[in-house]
Amino acid sequence: MESLRGLVAIITGASSGIGEGVAIKFAQLGCRLTLSGRSTENLQRVNDLCKEAGLNQDHILTVSGDITNGADRRSIVEKTVEKYGEINVLVNNAGMIYYNRIGDITEEKYDELFDCNVKSHVFLTQLAIPHLIKSKGSIVNTSSICGQKAMAEVGVYCMTKASMDMFTQCLALELAPHGVRVNAINPGTIVSNIARRPWGDYQDEELYQKFLEKQKSGHPLGRVGQPSDCAESVVFLASQASSFITGQILYLDGGRHCVSVGVATSVKK
């Protein structure tokens, strides 16, 4: 995707998983990067991986912080513009999950999910919009198959991703007259750390591997996805190869959205 070379891309949730995969792919293509995440240590690790992929350190900016914090969101945009002078691509990727039924979830967890998975992206995007209009740039949101397929054990998470899908399409209409495209990827199960963080259900390696094995049966292609699968789709949607595509909800799930009855989302201990 030669059209991405030299463009400035902000990637949130870049310290692991899908965000890490997207960062490395963009680095291979010669983008100038702003990598955002909570863990300074993990951001540095991804920074080094981007250098190994061929990107000069001068073209990598890391901004650690909590995207649910307004000051940290402003810092991401301001530092990017200060360093590079423009923004061409925004990848809204940061996210979290709780494995709770709606009947069991606490108000605190509900607020955390919506703050991280929806509100933070809306208001980071709002800050970036003037710069994206100037560059006629592109926004790619990381949503989930859960935005379109109901799953009982992650009900509020599904609600946040349904919100992201509608955000994607409404914003696509809003920004189309300015030449800015907005699309989303909706992955199925991807090997990442989202379920393995301190608040997740799968910190135990053996349990997580059982979870992945069970998830394979729900994807007609017979496997779960990798961050690199997501990265290829994000690159396509961010590049001029998709110049006539906006408002798209792209299933990235090995055919799982075609399955009429979903499999369980968790593995009981």
Side-chain angles (χ1 to χ4, degrees), residues 50-62:
C50 289
K51 288 198 296 182
E52 291 177 13
L55 196 61
N56 189 293
Q57 181 62 61
D58 288 342
H59 292 165
I60 309 172
L61 171 66
T62 59

Side-chain angles (χ1 to χ4, degrees), residues 38-71:
R38 294 186 181 187
S39 169
T40 301
E41 180 180 354
N42 284 339
L43 280 178
Q44 184 58 51
R45 180 181 57 79
V46 176
N47 180 106
D48 293 343
L49 290 172
C50 289
K51 288 198 296 182
E52 291 177 13
L55 196 61
N56 189 293
Q57 181 62 61
D58 288 342
H59 292 165
I60 309 172
L61 171 66
T62 59
V63 184
S64 60
D66 184 348
I67 198 173
T68 66
N69 182 284

